[in-house]
Amino acid sequence: MSTERPRRAVVTGIGVIAPNGQRADAYWKSVREGLGVLDRITREGCEDLPLKVAGEVRGFDASTLIEDRFLVQTDRFSHYTMAAAQLALDDAGLPRENPEEPFEIGVVTAAGSGGGEFGQRELQKLWSQGSKFVGPYQSIAWFYAASTGQISIRSGLKGPCGVVASDEAGGLDAIALAARGVRRGTGAVLVGAAEAPLAPYSMVCQLGYPELSTVEDPDRAYRPFTAGACGFVPAEGGAVLVVEDESRARDRGAAVRAVVAGHGATFTGASRWEKSREGLARAIRVALDEAGCAPEEVDVVFADALGVPEADRAEALAIADALGAHATRVPVTAPKTGIGRAYCGAPVLDTAAAVFALEHGVVPPTPNVFDICHDLDLVMSRARPAELRTALVLSRGLMGSNAALVVRRGDESAR
């Protein structure tokens, strides 16, 4: 019988491009301080639309991080993802280009809608000027898999690559896919998601979601778990992680920041929020079982926090169903209320925040939320110091996907 220790997937790098910070450290500082950056949408062509508030990534200059030849081929959502990937590689201490072992490193991203801004611009050229004025990159820039391909090409990464299209929860599903690849033999995987839904075409599409908030006051537009919950506001940006084999990471002297310990996923149907209670609870149980984690070992929950009364109630009950009596004691947080929901990028940002929370021993607060109406220990107003070893990250999608991810502190992975 083999006594070789099973391979473990650990986080060694984090890259973030978000409304509240364009590096991982800046993002965490804002999250820890509970800063809210939701504001009026300023993008051209969006002035007369009912959606007024969102989380914009402002002051982002893609040309400072990405070469021109890639910029002209890609949409804003890929710019964010490529920039975050580069930052994650730097954080992990891996080479940006032409790694010594290109087949050892793969790329997995998740995407909700792809390159809507690029596609709208080229379609406008088609109808106003004719087909000869449509650029050749229209064929690839809109595609939801564009970010995976461009990251792989740009950095010379030839390991297993893929894209996950499973609703907003796809951000967690992508991390799970990366972790499974590492356990099966891949050295490392760049994994994450970023979105750019704040263009006129994309925003018109989102207006079909009944869960979308059209409240014009940024302080009240997104307030989950409260009596005044009125839906969610969208955000752009996201995060990319380096998920790596633990032994490989330690051999090269990399810091093991967290271990990806368990994942569960279910599907309960579009906007069937009452059903999501059962589906999310099931996903939590599967994730805990894979992690070998008892409910009482969960030290913090990063909630999905949709901001729709029925969905909030279902999530609170799902946490209670899965964690039992521990559900009323475990701290719960939703940092995304300060920046909005970046669709597939949202749970990856939450996972990044969970890693930082485990490292620093502090639960970040939930901005703009003060008067909850559910039986949860929601952390509000200010960060809460705590001894944290295990975090549970939750996500649900508008089309019915549910996912849960268990992340353990880096020093826990050696046990």
Side-chain angles (χ1 to χ4, degrees), residues 36-50:
V37 297
L38 297 179
D39 207 342
R40 303 279 292 193
I41 297 170
T42 63
R43 292 286 159 73
E44 183 179 357
C46 302
E47 301 86 355
D48 298 326
L49 295 174

Side-chain angles (χ1 to χ4, degrees), residues 94-347:
L94 290 170
R96 299 185 186 186
E97 298 179 10
N98 303 316
E100 295 180 5
E101 301 173 312
F103 293 99
E104 280 290 299
I105 304 176
V107 182
V108 176
T109 66
S113 58
E117 185 175 35
F118 194 109
Q120 176 178 338
R121 182 174 67 244
E122 297 303 309
L123 288 174
Q124 286 175 330
K125 291 179 182 178
L126 172 65
W127 291 107
S128 64
Q129 298 174 271
S131 60
K132 293 182 179 180
F133 292 87
V134 177
Y137 300 118
Q138 164 65 6
S139 61
I140 59 171
W142 68 271
F143 194 40
Y144 61 88
S147 297
T148 289
Q150 295 288 8
I151 292 170
S152 174
I153 293 167
R154 180 174 182 249
S155 299
L157 306 178
K158 301 179 181 180
C161 292
V163 62
V164 176
S166 59
D167 217 348
E168 288 98 315
L172 295 187
D173 296 342
I175 295 172
L177 181 62
R180 287 168 190 150
V182 166
R183 294 182 194 122
R184 292 170 182 165
T186 302
V189 180
L190 270 172
V191 57
E195 304 271 22
L198 304 183
Y201 166 76
S202 300
M203 287 173 59
V204 168
C205 292
Q206 292 169 78
L207 289 171
Y209 298 141
E211 295 87 357
L212 191 74
S213 171
T214 55
V215 172
E216 298 187 21
D217 182 351
D219 293 335
R220 296 181 178 275
Y222 183 25
R223 302 183 67 226
F225 302 118
T226 72
C230 54
F232 75 95
V233 298
E236 54 186 3
V240 172
L241 312 177
V242 173
V243 174
E244 188 171 359
D245 171 53
E246 181 182 22
S247 296
R248 182 182 188 275
R250 294 191 185 280
D251 286 346
R252 67 181 186 85
V256 173
R257 308 188 65 168
V259 57
V260 181
H263 168 262
T266 61
F267 179 80
T268 47
S271 296
R272 301 177 66 186
W273 298 118
E274 184 176 349
K275 292 290 185 181
S276 77
R277 170 185 179 177
E278 179 182 4
L280 186 60
R282 171 65 177 174
I284 295 171
R285 292 189 186 102
V286 171
L288 293 176
D289 184 61
E290 184 177 275
C293 178
E296 58 271 18
E297 292 181 69
V298 175
D299 298 310
V300 59
V301 176
F302 284 75
D304 175 61
L306 187 63
V308 174
E310 299 86 351
D312 293 345
R313 180 175 185 274
E315 182 172 20
L317 292 172
I319 294 171
D321 292 344
L323 301 187
H326 187 56
T328 59
R329 299 190 295 267
V330 64
V332 178
T333 184
K336 61 171 70 74
T337 61
I339 62 174
R341 291 171 66 93
Y343 293 101
C344 285

